[in-house]
Amino acid sequence: MSRVFNFSPGPATLPLEVLEQVKADLPDWHGCGMAVMEISHRSKAFLEVAEQAEADLRELLNISGDYAVLFLQGGATLQFAMAPMNLSVAGQSVDYLCTGSWSKKALKEAGVLREVNIVADGAASNYTDVPERSSWQCDPNAAYFHYTPNETIGGVEIHDVPDVGTVPVVADMSSTILSRPLDISRFGLIYAGAQKNIGPAGLTLVIVRNDLLERVEQTVPAILRYSTFASSGSMTNTPPTFTWYIAGLVFDWLKRQGGVEKMGEVNQRKAQRLYQAIDESGFYANPVAPAYRSWMNIPFTLARPELDAEFLEQATRAGLQNLKGHRSVGGMRASIYNAMPEEGVSALIEFMAEFERRNH
Ligand SMILES: *Cc1c(COP(=O)(O)O)cnc(C)c1O
């Protein structure tokens, strides 16, 4: 077997221990003579898996009983629609902070249903910076305030939860959830597609404050209401059982690593080392304002863009894969989620230095 260091933005690398466990569990899971994805979601054996995963997630993020944890499908993109449908009613306006590609998509979808107030827009900096808090035009009567703590494509991360008074905060945490400790009580709603920092694609995690479940209008179809899933243990219909099981293995792995406190330390160190290597080189550059540099997705350009293809080809040969930047940004992007070991970052830094020596 030969594994590479996989810097894919998502679906992304998973811990090898988790993959080995999945392999060992197939095709005879817990001695039941069947694979976990072959059994009923309502069976006692699967309910135990589902409940343990939720309990472990609650423990990792210290989620109180004031919040429901939902295991949904449809990706973060469905949440772009479900959030306004569930947390606001016709005629209400909603606040959105625009910091890049994903917040743009979220606010565009909300705009289909509601009046969207863009509190601030990072366009002037080409989304390499976040407008000063003092310049934001927040509406104190907004149904909620939405932001994207980590812009996966631009590599822009807001490291502190914005203070917007009593307006509930909604966050698309797809590419940063579980990367560090989080004060859940600051949020009304958190959602995250699983395929960045949780598990395989197909599962969307939603953490929603119970009192907000009551806002939904009866014109919203039941299958699109959070309350439907909250009252059925996310088993209104068949949930993505195999992904849920793997997410559970990842949560257990995170606990064994020392939880999100430890992950936060490691992630910050991994990111700092890579940014330092970029900044100290005369060859690589990252455009993001230092205060908003992401710990998870690190875009960088080469001083000689004509070498991009060669960089990628040689990196691939060195076992460093999926470093190509998003088509909208160009250059490179290293996604270094929880499951990317420090050795992977070290190997990338060494490769980059060597490539610079040969091509500067
Ligand atoms: C990947 C991503 C999405 C889209 O997720 P899907 O699961 O493909 O819908 C949305 N927001 C952010 C921040 C992302 O990183």
PDB file of all heavy atoms in Angstrom, residues 74-77 80 102 148 150 152 172 174-175 193 195-196, ligand 1:
ATOM      1  N   GLY A  74     -27.812  16.577   1.335  1.00  0.00           N
ATOM      2  CA  GLY A  74     -27.982  17.763   0.496  1.00  0.00           C
ATOM      3  C   GLY A  74     -26.820  18.736   0.532  1.00  0.00           C
ATOM      4  O   GLY A  74     -26.823  19.726  -0.194  1.00  0.00           O
ATOM      5  N   GLY A  75     -25.819  18.461   1.349  1.00  0.00           N
ATOM      6  CA  GLY A  75     -24.631  19.308   1.368  1.00  0.00           C
ATOM      7  C   GLY A  75     -24.874  20.663   2.018  1.00  0.00           C
ATOM      8  O   GLY A  75     -26.006  21.016   2.365  1.00  0.00           O
ATOM      9  N   ALA A  76     -23.795  21.422   2.155  1.00  0.00           N
ATOM     10  CA  ALA A  76     -23.919  22.778   2.690  1.00  0.00           C
ATOM     11  C   ALA A  76     -24.805  23.609   1.772  1.00  0.00           C
ATOM     12  O   ALA A  76     -25.504  24.522   2.209  1.00  0.00           O
ATOM     13  CB  ALA A  76     -22.540  23.410   2.821  1.00  0.00           C
ATOM     14  N   THR A  77     -24.810  23.252   0.492  1.00  0.00           N
ATOM     15  CA  THR A  77     -25.587  24.023  -0.486  1.00  0.00           C
ATOM     16  C   THR A  77     -27.091  23.980  -0.188  1.00  0.00           C
ATOM     17  O   THR A  77     -27.782  24.977  -0.379  1.00  0.00           O
ATOM     18  CB  THR A  77     -25.288  23.500  -1.905  1.00  0.00           C
ATOM     19  OG1 THR A  77     -23.868  23.537  -2.099  1.00  0.00           O
ATOM     20  CG2 THR A  77     -25.944  24.364  -2.961  1.00  0.00           C
ATOM     21  N   PHE A  80     -27.946  26.567   2.293  1.00  0.00           N
ATOM     22  CA  PHE A  80     -28.103  27.934   1.787  1.00  0.00           C
ATOM     23  C   PHE A  80     -29.591  28.275   1.650  1.00  0.00           C
ATOM     24  O   PHE A  80     -29.991  29.428   1.776  1.00  0.00           O
ATOM     25  CB  PHE A  80     -27.421  28.110   0.421  1.00  0.00           C
ATOM     26  CG  PHE A  80     -25.920  27.963   0.430  1.00  0.00           C
ATOM     27  CD1 PHE A  80     -25.215  27.851  -0.762  1.00  0.00           C
ATOM     28  CD2 PHE A  80     -25.199  27.944   1.617  1.00  0.00           C
ATOM     29  CE1 PHE A  80     -23.830  27.727  -0.774  1.00  0.00           C
ATOM     30  CE2 PHE A  80     -23.812  27.813   1.624  1.00  0.00           C
ATOM     31  CZ  PHE A  80     -23.129  27.702   0.426  1.00  0.00           C
ATOM     32  N   TRP A 102     -18.057  31.397  -1.295  1.00  0.00           N
ATOM     33  CA  TRP A 102     -19.128  30.640  -0.637  1.00  0.00           C
ATOM     34  C   TRP A 102     -20.148  31.557  -0.002  1.00  0.00           C
ATOM     35  O   TRP A 102     -21.345  31.273  -0.040  1.00  0.00           O
ATOM     36  CB  TRP A 102     -18.560  29.633   0.372  1.00  0.00           C
ATOM     37  CG  TRP A 102     -17.892  28.484  -0.320  1.00  0.00           C
ATOM     38  CD1 TRP A 102     -16.570  28.155  -0.282  1.00  0.00           C
ATOM     39  CD2 TRP A 102     -18.496  27.520  -1.203  1.00  0.00           C
ATOM     40  NE1 TRP A 102     -16.314  27.060  -1.062  1.00  0.00           N
ATOM     41  CE2 TRP A 102     -17.484  26.639  -1.645  1.00  0.00           C
ATOM     42  CE3 TRP A 102     -19.799  27.309  -1.659  1.00  0.00           C
ATOM     43  CZ2 TRP A 102     -17.727  25.579  -2.524  1.00  0.00           C
ATOM     44  CZ3 TRP A 102     -20.048  26.243  -2.538  1.00  0.00           C
ATOM     45  CH2 TRP A 102     -19.013  25.398  -2.951  1.00  0.00           C
ATOM     46  N   THR A 148     -19.489  33.252   6.656  1.00  0.00           N
ATOM     47  CA  THR A 148     -18.717  32.064   6.294  1.00  0.00           C
ATOM     48  C   THR A 148     -17.373  32.155   7.015  1.00  0.00           C
ATOM     49  O   THR A 148     -16.470  32.858   6.549  1.00  0.00           O
ATOM     50  CB  THR A 148     -18.513  32.013   4.763  1.00  0.00           C
ATOM     51  OG1 THR A 148     -19.790  32.198   4.124  1.00  0.00           O
ATOM     52  CG2 THR A 148     -17.909  30.694   4.320  1.00  0.00           C
ATOM     53  N   ASN A 150     -14.854  30.342   7.307  1.00  0.00           N
ATOM     54  CA  ASN A 150     -13.674  29.999   6.509  1.00  0.00           C
ATOM     55  C   ASN A 150     -14.057  29.864   5.042  1.00  0.00           C
ATOM     56  O   ASN A 150     -14.795  28.961   4.666  1.00  0.00           O
ATOM     57  CB  ASN A 150     -13.034  28.699   7.001  1.00  0.00           C
ATOM     58  CG  ASN A 150     -11.722  28.410   6.298  1.00  0.00           C
ATOM     59  OD1 ASN A 150     -10.761  29.172   6.426  1.00  0.00           O
ATOM     60  ND2 ASN A 150     -11.661  27.331   5.540  1.00  0.00           N
ATOM     61  N   THR A 152     -13.253  28.603   1.873  1.00  0.00           N
ATOM     62  CA  THR A 152     -12.429  27.471   1.445  1.00  0.00           C
ATOM     63  C   THR A 152     -11.606  27.784   0.190  1.00  0.00           C
ATOM     64  O   THR A 152     -10.505  27.285   0.022  1.00  0.00           O
ATOM     65  CB  THR A 152     -13.368  26.277   1.166  1.00  0.00           C
ATOM     66  OG1 THR A 152     -14.373  26.241   2.179  1.00  0.00           O
ATOM     67  CG2 THR A 152     -12.613  24.970   1.141  1.00  0.00           C
ATOM     68  N   ASP A 172     -21.658  29.047   8.130  1.00  0.00           N
ATOM     69  CA  ASP A 172     -21.299  27.926   7.252  1.00  0.00           C
ATOM     70  C   ASP A 172     -19.884  27.493   7.620  1.00  0.00           C
ATOM     71  O   ASP A 172     -18.909  28.089   7.186  1.00  0.00           O
ATOM     72  CB  ASP A 172     -21.366  28.378   5.791  1.00  0.00           C
ATOM     73  CG  ASP A 172     -20.863  27.305   4.818  1.00  0.00           C
ATOM     74  OD1 ASP A 172     -20.500  26.200   5.276  1.00  0.00           O
ATOM     75  OD2 ASP A 172     -20.836  27.590   3.601  1.00  0.00           O
ATOM     76  N   SER A 174     -18.379  24.614   6.947  1.00  0.00           N
ATOM     77  CA  SER A 174     -18.012  23.410   6.202  1.00  0.00           C
ATOM     78  C   SER A 174     -16.532  23.073   6.275  1.00  0.00           C
ATOM     79  O   SER A 174     -16.149  21.925   6.425  1.00  0.00           O
ATOM     80  CB  SER A 174     -18.410  23.565   4.735  1.00  0.00           C
ATOM     81  OG  SER A 174     -19.814  23.633   4.617  1.00  0.00           O
ATOM     82  N   SER A 175     -15.669  24.087   6.143  1.00  0.00           N
ATOM     83  CA  SER A 175     -14.239  23.783   6.046  1.00  0.00           C
ATOM     84  C   SER A 175     -13.456  24.162   7.302  1.00  0.00           C
ATOM     85  O   SER A 175     -12.234  24.190   7.276  1.00  0.00           O
ATOM     86  CB  SER A 175     -13.645  24.484   4.817  1.00  0.00           C
ATOM     87  OG  SER A 175     -13.992  25.854   4.824  1.00  0.00           O
ATOM     88  N   GLY A 193     -20.970  20.783   5.524  1.00  0.00           N
ATOM     89  CA  GLY A 193     -20.877  19.574   4.721  1.00  0.00           C
ATOM     90  C   GLY A 193     -19.747  18.719   5.305  1.00  0.00           C
ATOM     91  O   GLY A 193     -18.752  19.246   5.777  1.00  0.00           O
ATOM     92  N   GLN A 195     -17.584  16.616   3.956  1.00  0.00           N
ATOM     93  CA  GLN A 195     -16.451  16.109   3.171  1.00  0.00           C
ATOM     94  C   GLN A 195     -15.154  16.905   3.282  1.00  0.00           C
ATOM     95  O   GLN A 195     -14.182  16.583   2.606  1.00  0.00           O
ATOM     96  CB  GLN A 195     -16.866  15.990   1.692  1.00  0.00           C
ATOM     97  CG  GLN A 195     -17.103  17.311   0.986  1.00  0.00           C
ATOM     98  CD  GLN A 195     -18.519  17.829   1.127  1.00  0.00           C
ATOM     99  OE1 GLN A 195     -19.225  17.467   2.042  1.00  0.00           O
ATOM    100  NE2 GLN A 195     -18.948  18.692   0.223  1.00  0.00           N
ATOM    101  N   LYS A 196     -15.124  17.927   4.130  1.00  0.00           N
ATOM    102  CA  LYS A 196     -13.879  18.650   4.358  1.00  0.00           C
ATOM    103  C   LYS A 196     -13.188  18.127   5.627  1.00  0.00           C
ATOM    104  O   LYS A 196     -12.085  17.625   5.575  1.00  0.00           O
ATOM    105  CB  LYS A 196     -14.120  20.155   4.498  1.00  0.00           C
ATOM    106  CG  LYS A 196     -14.218  20.959   3.203  1.00  0.00           C
ATOM    107  CD  LYS A 196     -15.353  20.589   2.295  1.00  0.00           C
ATOM    108  CE  LYS A 196     -15.411  21.348   1.005  1.00  0.00           C
ATOM    109  NZ  LYS A 196     -16.473  22.326   0.896  1.00  0.00           N
TER     110      LYS A 196
HETATM  111  C1  LIG B   1     -17.477  22.912   0.116  1.00  0.00           C
HETATM  112  C2  LIG B   1     -18.236  24.042   0.677  1.00  0.00           C
HETATM  113  C3  LIG B   1     -19.602  24.246   0.408  1.00  0.00           C
HETATM  114  C4  LIG B   1     -20.391  23.345  -0.528  1.00  0.00           C
HETATM  115  O1  LIG B   1     -20.616  22.142   0.057  1.00  0.00           O
HETATM  116  P1  LIG B   1     -21.534  21.025  -0.655  1.00  0.00           P
HETATM  117  O2  LIG B   1     -21.530  19.955   0.376  1.00  0.00           O
HETATM  118  O3  LIG B   1     -20.860  20.650  -1.939  1.00  0.00           O
HETATM  119  O4  LIG B   1     -22.871  21.613  -0.866  1.00  0.00           O
HETATM  120  C5  LIG B   1     -20.235  25.315   0.989  1.00  0.00           C
HETATM  121  N1  LIG B   1     -19.585  26.150   1.818  1.00  0.00           N
HETATM  122  C6  LIG B   1     -18.269  25.993   2.105  1.00  0.00           C
HETATM  123  C7  LIG B   1     -17.591  26.957   3.023  1.00  0.00           C
HETATM  124  C8  LIG B   1     -17.558  24.939   1.535  1.00  0.00           C
HETATM  125  O5  LIG B   1     -16.256  24.775   1.820  1.00  0.00           O
END
